[in-house]
Amino acid sequence: MRVVVIGGGPAGLAAAGAAAAAGADTVLVDSEPVLGGQFHRGHPQRVDARVRHLANSTVWAVEGMRLHVRTGQADSPSRTGEVLNADAVVLATGAHDRVVPFPGWDLPGVYTAGAAQALAKGQGIAIGQRVVVSGTGPFLLPVAQSLKAVGAEVLRICDANTGLGWLGHPRAASPAKLAELLGYAVRLRSAWRPRTAVVAAHGEDKVNAVTVAKLNPDWTIRSQERIAVDAVCVGHGFTPRLELAVTAGCTLVDGFVAVEHTGATSVPGWYAAGEVTGIGGADLAAAEGEVAGTAAARGSHPSRALAKVRSGRRFAAALAAAHPIRAGWHTWLTDDTLVCRCEEVTYKDLRAAVDLDAAGTRTFKLTSRVGLGLCQGRTCGRAAIDIATALASDRRTFFTPADLQRRPIATPLRLAELASLPEEDL
Amino acid sequence: MDVVVVGAGVIGAACADALSSAGLRVTVLDRGPLASGTSAAGEGNILVSDKEPGPELDLALSSLSRWPTLVGDTDIEWDPKGGLVVATGDPAPLAHFAAVQREAGIDARWITPAEALEREPHLTTRVTAAVHYPQDAQVQPVLATQALLSNVRRRGGVLRPGVTVVGLDARGVHTSEGIIACDHVVNACGPWSGEVSRTLGAPIAIAPRRGMVLVTAPLPPTVRHKVYDADYVGAVASGDADLQTSTVVESTAAGTILIGSSRERVGFDESIRVRVLRELARKAVALFPTLADVPVMRAYGGFRPYAPDHLPVIGPDPRVPGLWHATGHEGAGIGLAAATGALLAELLTGVTPHLDPTPFRVDRPGVLECA
Ligand SMILES: Cc1cc2nc3c(=O)[nH]c(=O)nc-3n(C[C@H](O)[C@H](O)[C@H](O)COP(=O)(O)OP(=O)(O)OC[C@H]3O[C@@H](n4cnc5c(N)ncnc54)[C@H](O)[C@@H]3O)c2cc1C
Ligand SMILES: Cc1cc2nc3c(=O)[nH]c(=O)nc-3n(C[C@H](O)[C@H](O)[C@H](O)COP(=O)(O)OP(=O)(O)OC[C@H]3O[C@@H](n4cnc5c(N)ncnc54)[C@H](O)[C@@H]3O)c2cc1C
């Protein structure tokens, strides 16, 4: 039997290893040149030698159990194609950074936490000399730590929530996790400010200052001050990469792939693991990967991994509860704040679309042009729909997470590549 | 008089616009959000170039003259950019088709391959013949639908998204939100019109025909007209269930290029078919070789509503008094909407219709189904 694992982060690595160990002919498809995903960036990982690893490879389309793969650098004219027919698929495509927009967030010098981390860990480059980190969630801490390690002065770490309150729930996290986070907390204590946020970035062609605000519990602004900086790093948690799950027809719950305890999704033969199923860090992702890879290959019950998944999910739930995104961020926006950078759609444009009763995702996009550009709504889609939902609170709305992630072509390919697909691959 | 229009796509919106403008009290219902069905899933070509002389062409010409004035100065990306139909094989069928169209009053200008290349510098040099259709235009279909609905709202009409129609009797339309009393009901449910007509007790034979479109990354201006492969005409008129594609390449206001579109009869199956995408890509690259290296960002599609004889259905249902149908516009509903709304309102209010409604009547062979 053949198991195809999509994604080479902690979840996919563990899934591929477990599937191969259970005797399945296993293929691991990952779009990065080296294995490891988000967490191990800069520290390439290896996978079980029995696994066939397709590096630089993306699954761009899914037809039932047929996966269409392109291999090669995204913009290279010499990418090659392959079709994988799977008996079981483990979806481990992870998540990307979520950022809520604010005036000036499109200025050069404003980075996502993930990008800042990748530069620091991957290339040893600091995004700036004087940096403010802002957003919510415990992942801000390791990022701040990495920035310091490459020589940046971290002036503030602003968490819009009270943040580490959940450390008080000892059952929520494993002792190792707690120790890791407490370690960061101790080292970064002097810069850490709960219930504050960067609510505006200033500068002409590059950020040179930010407005940092003290927030109310709903994230509306209480008071503000201006701080000179040369870079900003923002992160508001993560948005799962769901396009393949949506094309495959997997049921979503609360914006994540719904899975049974084995990692089985609603679609027979399709399993999911890692951040596509919930945000809970690398250890949980790896445990989920092991469980799903084993189940996909019909191996024997991995009871230790299952126990880890159970406790990890408690941690994930505590995390989500402690770091909500509160709607008060909408009040940070001005009429001309860009929400969609690709198509230059402003807050005001979104309001105009809501005034036309564009209350479904497709219509809203086609009315305002939000999410129709190169990123296909990956950066702005969620924020735009949140804004629309709030503005239309007196009306009926029809927005669903699946509609936002409906991208039957999961990654772009050139017309010539599409045109030259061989007959036997169709 | 009270009229309930079921379906807030471009056809329902155009009917509601015309009815409210004639002074009727109009309520528009849709089970989903406004302007989110087929009318948000296709392109917005308003064409005469693909039509042979006959009732659909008459409807298209009437619509073409109405669209620019229907929505005042609301921006619906109206662009009378003209169409260019090119043949890369035997030019004779295209020449014949254009000659027949000219007799029916279409401005169809036979131009040389060199002139075609002058108009479209990136066109393949394999062009053997070309016809320029200055009348072909386009709108952005969602903006156009919303603009018509805004007219209705402004005249006091009521728009109710999220209301599903489930039946009809003497008391009125039965919906998920209760009964709405009215004198007339218009079934404008696009590809779902067949299904809805059955729940209303007056079945008509409207079925879905799937279509997909590819969208490229934004480009500097590369394609100026709507450029069609001459085999387009064959595909429209055919009833073959198998995959058919005929290339339509055009650029949008945003700089992206739309490559449409396929035709398949697969029911309401939404799953992606790579074979379909490949066919679209092949034909686009054959017409515009420079597009080979352009990335495709997105694919989308929807279901064209079609009747067995491929003509729209516009008029009263002979079985249920007060029930009207306005549907079956297949791949031309955006273009045909303006005249469809006008015709339906004329018939419903008893005004002399501006064109012969007979070809579109509901009780024609093949359209009426047994209850
Ligand atoms: C800035 C930052 C700091 C973090 N710090 C910590 C920390 O200190 N401790 C901790 O526990 N966690 C941390 N995390 C979270 C951790 O990285 C994730 O929990 C973990 O990486 C999730 O693993 P995953 O396998 O689900 O997804 P990922 O690691 O995201 O891997 C997904 C992989 O799938 C690939 N992929 C996606 N789509 C396709 C496709 N269509 N075809 C082929 N391949 C595809 C991606 O390229 C990627 O390689 C941090 C994350 C970030 C961004
Ligand atoms: C790929 C593609 C390309 C196309 N290109 C063009 C083009 O270039 N030019 C052109 O003119 N046309 C084009 N078309 C065709 C055009 O889109 C359609 O003819 C037109 O949109 C049909 O409009 P409609 O209002 O009849 O249907 P729809 O827009 O589908 O509206 C019907 C509405 O009825 C609602 N409904 C259904 N059931 C119920 C119920 N029980 N209760 C309440 N409401 C209900 C639905 O929610 C829907 O909103 C294309 C179509 C496709 C798929």
Side-chain angles (χ1 to χ4, degrees), chain A residues 350-393:
Chain A
L350 297 184
R351 212 166 47 217
V354 169
D355 287 343
L356 285 170
D357 249 338
T361 303
R362 204 200 286 242
T363 313
F364 187 65
K365 284 164 70 175
L366 288 165
T367 306
S368 63
R369 298 209 53 79
V370 76
L372 289 180
L374 270 179
C375 90
Q376 289 292 293
R378 287 176 176 87
T379 306
C380 62
R382 205 160 157 187
I385 297 299
D386 285 350
I387 291 170
T389 308
L391 289 175
S393 59

Side-chain angles (χ1 to χ4, degrees), chain B residues 29-316:
Chain B
L29 310 179
D30 200 293
R31 65 176 175 194
L34 306 176
S36 66
T38 321
S39 304
E43 299 164 89
N45 298 308
I46 300 183
L47 305 185
V48 297
S49 54
D50 64 340
K51 296 182 179 64
E52 45 192 306
E56 195 183 347
L57 177 60
D58 299 341
L59 200 61
L61 286 167
S62 161
S63 238
L64 189 62
S65 67
R66 281 160 200 271
W67 259 122
T69 55
L70 216 44
V71 297
D73 47 18
T74 308
D75 182 13
I76 57 171
E77 296 181 13
W78 164 262
D79 187 356
K81 57 160 70 161
L84 197 64
V85 177
V86 300
T88 46
D90 178 11
L94 178 59
H96 174 72
F97 190 66
V100 173
Q101 287 177 314
R102 252 190 315 273
E103 272 165 40
I106 294 185
D107 189 357
R109 304 181 187 174
W110 187 255
I111 60 174
T112 64
E115 286 167 329
L117 277 158
E118 219 166 277
R119 291 188 164 276
E120 287 293 346
H122 298 286
L123 198 60
T124 171
T125 50
R126 293 176 39 247
V127 171
T128 54
V131 182
H132 178 219
Y133 292 89
Q135 288 163 296
D136 281 358
Q138 74 188 38
V139 294
Q140 206 268 39
V142 170
L143 297 183
T145 305
Q146 282 167 331
L148 293 171
L149 292 171
S150 294
N151 287 349
V152 175
R153 202 188 276 119
R154 208 168 32 248
R155 296 185 193 115
V158 179
L159 310 179
R160 295 186 61 185
V163 179
T164 305
V165 166
V166 293
L168 178 66
D169 66 15
R171 286 172 296 163
V173 196
H174 293 234
T175 77
S176 52
E177 311 268 294
I179 298 175
I180 303 175
C182 59
D183 306 295
H184 298 278
V185 177
V186 181
N187 171 18
C189 288
W192 301 279
S193 295
E195 202 173 296
V196 170
S197 68
R198 282 188 286 280
T199 63
L200 300 180
I204 53 171
I206 299 296
R209 198 169 184 196
R210 186 165 192 210
M212 293 290 294
V213 178
L214 297 177
V215 188
T216 71
L219 300 182
T222 310
V223 179
R224 299 175 184 170
H225 305 73
K226 308 169 160 301
V227 181
Y228 311 91
D229 199 317
D231 63 5
Y232 186 68
V233 179
V236 176
S238 157
D240 190 348
D242 286 335
L243 167 62
Q244 295 172 346
T245 54
S246 39
T247 332
V248 183
V249 183
E250 61 177 310
S251 52
T252 67
T256 56
I257 290 188
L258 301 186
I259 299 165
S261 51
S262 55
R263 290 165 186 269
E264 287 174 283
R265 288 193 292 179
V266 290
F268 284 106
D269 183 354
E270 284 203 337
S271 55
I272 182 179
R273 289 222 291 148
V274 171
R275 174 182 298 281
V276 174
L277 306 183
R278 181 185 73 164
E279 279 325 293
L280 290 171
R282 281 192 169 175
K283 295 203 172 178
V285 173
L287 270 188
F288 286 96
T290 42
L291 293 182
D293 285 327
V294 174
V296 179
M297 250 183 351
R298 180 156 70 92
Y300 70 91
F303 300 95
R304 304 179 187 85
Y306 80 98
D309 56 6
H310 301 281
L311 271 185
V313 178
I314 307 164

Side-chain angles (χ1 to χ4, degrees), chain A residues 105-320:
Chain A
W105 74 305
D106 51 316
L107 277 173
V110 181
Y111 293 80
T112 64
Q117 176 88 326
L119 281 172
K121 268 174 117 178
Q123 296 166 48
I125 297 172
I127 55 170
Q129 297 299 306
R130 292 170 54 81
V131 182
V132 169
V133 176
S134 175
T136 188
F139 297 136
L140 297 179
L141 298 177
V143 176
Q145 184 63 41
S146 307
L147 287 172
K148 282 180 76 164
V150 289
E153 186 185 354
V154 177
L155 303 171
R156 295 284 166 85
I157 305 168
C158 306
D159 193 312
N161 291 302
T162 47
L164 300 177
W166 54 270
L167 281 175
H169 300 277
R171 277 175 54 80
S174 67
K177 190 101 245 165
L178 276 175
E180 178 194 337
L181 287 163
L182 279 170
Y184 288 130
V186 168
R187 267 170 288 161
L188 299 165
R189 193 176 52 233
S190 61
W192 191 67
R193 300 283 189 286
R195 223 161 244 168
T196 64
V198 169
V199 296
H202 312 282
E204 282 299 316
D205 35 84
K206 188 178 183 319
V207 63
N208 57 31
V210 289
T211 300
V212 170
K214 285 208 171 85
L215 301 179
N216 294 307
D218 64 355
W219 292 25
T220 50
I221 296 173
R222 262 170 67 190
S223 61
Q224 31 189 298
E225 63 176 313
R226 199 173 162 117
I227 299 177
V229 298
D230 57 9
V232 188
C233 165
V234 279
H236 296 89
F238 303 92
T239 300
R241 269 193 213 100
L242 295 178
E243 43 271 282
L244 297 179
V246 169
T247 314
C250 301
T251 301
L252 308 183
V253 171
D254 295 335
F256 292 98
V257 181
V259 285
E260 294 170 20
H261 71 282
T262 56
T265 71
S266 62
V267 178
W270 279 73
Y271 295 78
E275 304 221 299
V276 284
T277 70
I279 305 300
D283 293 346
L284 174 59
E288 287 173 341
E290 186 180 342
V291 170
T294 309
R298 303 205 193 97
S300 56
H301 213 61
S303 44
R304 281 194 49 200
L306 274 163
K308 269 199 195 163
V309 169
R310 271 193 300 274
S311 67
R313 293 240 168 98
R314 279 198 297 274
F315 169 71
L319 201 64

Side-chain angles (χ1 to χ4, degrees), chain A residues 89-117:
Chain A
V89 175
V90 181
L91 196 65
T93 47
H96 49 251
D97 287 275
R98 178 177 181 190
V99 172
V100 306
F102 50 85
W105 74 305
D106 51 316
L107 277 173
V110 181
Y111 293 80
T112 64
Q117 176 88 326

